Amino acid sequence: MSPRQSVDRERIWRFFEELGKRFRGAARIFLVGGTTTVFEGLRESTIDIDLTIEVAPEDHGALIAAIRDLRDELSVNVEEVSPGDFIPLPHGQESRHVFIARFGSIDLFHFDPYSTALSKVERGRTQDFEDVIALLRAGKIEWERLEASMREILPLMGRKSLRQDPRAFELNFEALDRLRRGESGDAQPPGSGT
């Protein structure tokens, strides 16, 4: 398999234009993670198109096949992932999805930006923190609501998965707050990498 190319906004748009031409069933697809920040122009590129899919069970196989074909033809990585894979989703998240466009019978959205930001806090990598700061600076999310959402889900962290560590999540959020306020010192996420 040849190495995949990074994706920018133009390549993301082209991917969904082509997918809308090939897939005939109705679907809702949500951009998540770094794909949202790239699509919104908050960073130049990402290594893959991260998405969450909502489609009727009888159409799921056809949609996956179309995505796989396009992934190979356009030489891009595509990952099916949800913020709910990393964190308990905050209340009302389904009402905060942001509509982007319709491609054929596919409605494309950004997944709730607060859920996306909190899942990035949970991962705690430097790029994740930079993405959350970019979302804040661009006015895509508000600090007070993000903090309230974090406080809401914190007691639920770690109840469904050993991978979730409530204390690490809280420490990551504190480190994000220091970065946001521009404090010097150890503003790196605990255990952060690049």
Side-chain angles (χ1 to χ4, degrees):
M1 181 185 290
S2 63
R4 307 282 183 180
Q5 301 173 22
S6 63
V7 291
D8 58 14
R9 187 183 196 282
E10 182 179 319
R11 294 191 77 202
I12 296 167
W13 188 269
R14 181 172 171 220
F15 179 88
F16 286 104
E17 277 185 326
E18 289 298 318
L19 187 60
K21 293 174 187 173
R22 295 175 188 209
F23 178 70
R24 296 295 176 208
R28 290 168 34 118
I29 298 180
F30 303 86
L31 301 183
V32 297
T35 309
T36 285
T37 56
V38 169
F39 193 88
E40 288 298 311
L42 304 176
R43 74 166 139 131
E44 291 295 315
S45 66
T46 186
I47 59 171
D48 48 33
I49 298 173
D50 292 330
L51 49 83
T52 298
I53 297 169
E54 285 183 6
V55 63
E58 61 271 16
D59 292 331
H60 191 265
L63 179 56
I64 295 299
I67 289 172
R68 279 194 179 121
D69 289 346
L70 269 174
R71 176 191 67 189
D72 295 340
E73 288 175 31
L74 299 178
S75 188
V76 296
N77 291 317
V78 180
E79 296 290 329
E80 189 174 1
V81 64
S82 167
D85 296 338
F86 303 97
I87 60 165
L89 296 175
H91 179 74
Q93 57 82 24
E94 62 282 342
S95 68
R96 291 188 298 267
H97 301 314
V98 179
F99 180 74
I100 299 170
R102 177 170 265 217
F103 298 94
S105 59
I106 298 172
D107 287 331
L108 185 65
F109 296 83
H110 290 299
F111 200 95
D112 166 37
Y114 291 92
S115 297
T116 292
L118 290 171
S119 68
K120 287 184 156 294
V121 170
E122 190 278 334
R123 279 184 16 152
R125 297 183 180 143
T126 301
Q127 182 63 64
D128 294 316
F129 275 46
E130 290 171 1
D131 286 347
V132 176
I133 297 293
L135 288 168
L136 286 162
R137 288 184 179 148
K140 304 295 182 186
I141 57 175
E142 298 172 355
W143 180 256
E144 293 75 18
R145 180 176 235 174
L146 184 66
E147 187 173 31
S149 295
M150 185 278 293
R151 296 282 171 221
E152 174 195 334
I153 69 169
L154 184 60
L156 305 173
M157 289 288 292
R159 289 190 180 175
K160 291 185 179 179
S161 171
L162 286 172
R163 292 185 323 178
Q164 294 177 353
D165 181 343
R167 184 63 185 142
F169 179 65
E170 191 171 28
L171 289 171
N172 284 355
F173 198 87
E174 290 169 5
L176 174 68
D177 189 26
R178 289 191 301 275
L179 280 172
R180 175 187 72 91
R181 290 184 283 135
E183 290 182 9
S184 59
D186 182 24
Q188 291 295 318
S192 69
T194 53

